[in-house]
Amino acid sequence: MLLLAMDTATPAVTVALHDGEAVVASSEQVDARRHGELLLPAVDRVLKEAGLKLDAVTGIVVGVGPGPYTGLRVGLVTAAAFSSALGVPVHGLCTLDGLAYASGIDEPFAVATDARRKEVYWARYDDSRTRVTDAAVDRPAEIAERLAGLPVVGAGARLYPEAFPHARDPEHLSAAALAALAAERLAAGGGGFLDPLPMYLRRPDAQVPKNYKVVTPQ
């Protein structure tokens, strides 16, 4: 087994290789505006670090979000392209689940990432492997009471400390955690994966103007 994992649903552009037992190589860069520029060089970098070529990969793991429209699509389209070129499967995972898994917390907690527009993407967990709510998007003040007293993992907790005073690491997702979670689920029989389709939860920021001027001949 050699899994190539990637996620671009958050400001972190992250890639990792996992051989089924351990992470072989990984890369994390935090830059919310350069997902398209950074992802493929990161793939090249981890392959070189591992001394492997792309055709050694036996499966793709990709974070499906939730995340902003443009950045999220970069990872999903790249995963689909690699899957098609290599003839290997794509395993989708909720990005929040990757953060939860990386936390290692074994008591109830929540994960919250930055959704922009003064909102967070979030979900509740019983432990680092068990999500108990669907992923959602809300304003921090609207969910602060529901998460009162719980540790909250992710950048959302650090952005809104008044709503989430018990912030915990990690702040950003690492594809190493996503790959390790996927390897664990594959070893257990291959359940728990999502279709590699974007989890947006809301409409994109860019909208077609409603009353634009027609300049072409009628």
Side-chain angles (χ1 to χ4, degrees):
M1 178 190 296
L2 184 67
L3 300 175
L4 173 64
M6 63 189 72
D7 190 283
T8 58
T10 74
V13 180
T14 178
V15 177
L17 285 169
H18 196 289
D19 65 5
E21 296 183 0
V23 173
V24 178
S26 64
S27 170
E28 293 87 35
Q29 296 169 276
V30 179
D31 192 326
R33 298 182 181 276
R34 299 177 62 213
H35 295 87
E37 297 175 46
L38 297 175
L39 182 58
L40 288 178
V43 172
D44 286 341
R45 191 161 53 249
V46 298
L47 287 168
K48 287 180 180 178
E49 182 180 336
L52 297 168
K53 294 186 177 181
L54 186 60
D55 60 9
V57 169
T58 61
I60 310 294
V61 180
V62 65
V64 303
Y69 184 83
T70 302
L72 179 55
R73 286 168 60 90
V74 171
L76 287 163
V77 169
T78 303
F82 284 155
S83 172
S84 178
L86 299 172
V88 300
V90 181
H91 308 290
L93 287 172
C94 176
T95 297
L96 303 181
D97 289 356
L99 273 161
Y101 185 81
S103 75
I105 298 174
D106 60 1
E107 61 184 1
F109 69 103
V111 173
T113 61
D114 182 18
R116 304 176 187 173
R117 302 185 191 175
K118 298 182 179 179
E119 294 178 328
V120 293
Y121 298 118
W122 70 281
R124 283 188 60 159
Y125 293 78
D126 273 349
D127 56 53
S128 61
R129 292 174 171 81
T130 312
R131 177 159 45 89
V132 294
T133 67
D134 289 335
V137 58
D138 288 291
R139 289 184 178 273
E142 294 171 348
I143 59 173
E145 185 173 345
R146 296 167 64 182
L147 303 183
L150 293 180
V152 181
V153 170
R158 301 188 183 278
L159 282 171
Y160 304 101
E162 67 285 353
F164 313 121
H166 306 294
R168 296 277 289 272
D169 289 333
E171 181 176 357
H172 297 291
L173 175 65
S174 167
L178 207 66
L181 176 58
E184 184 177 290
R185 290 185 176 179
L186 286 168
F193 292 106
L194 304 173
D195 290 335
L197 301 172
M199 186 187 297
Y200 292 130
L201 300 187
R202 69 182 184 202
R203 296 180 65 83
D205 293 332
Q207 300 290 332
V208 176
K210 293 181 179 179
N211 298 311
Y212 58 87
K213 183 178 179 180
V214 176
V215 295
T216 54
Q218 299 297 316

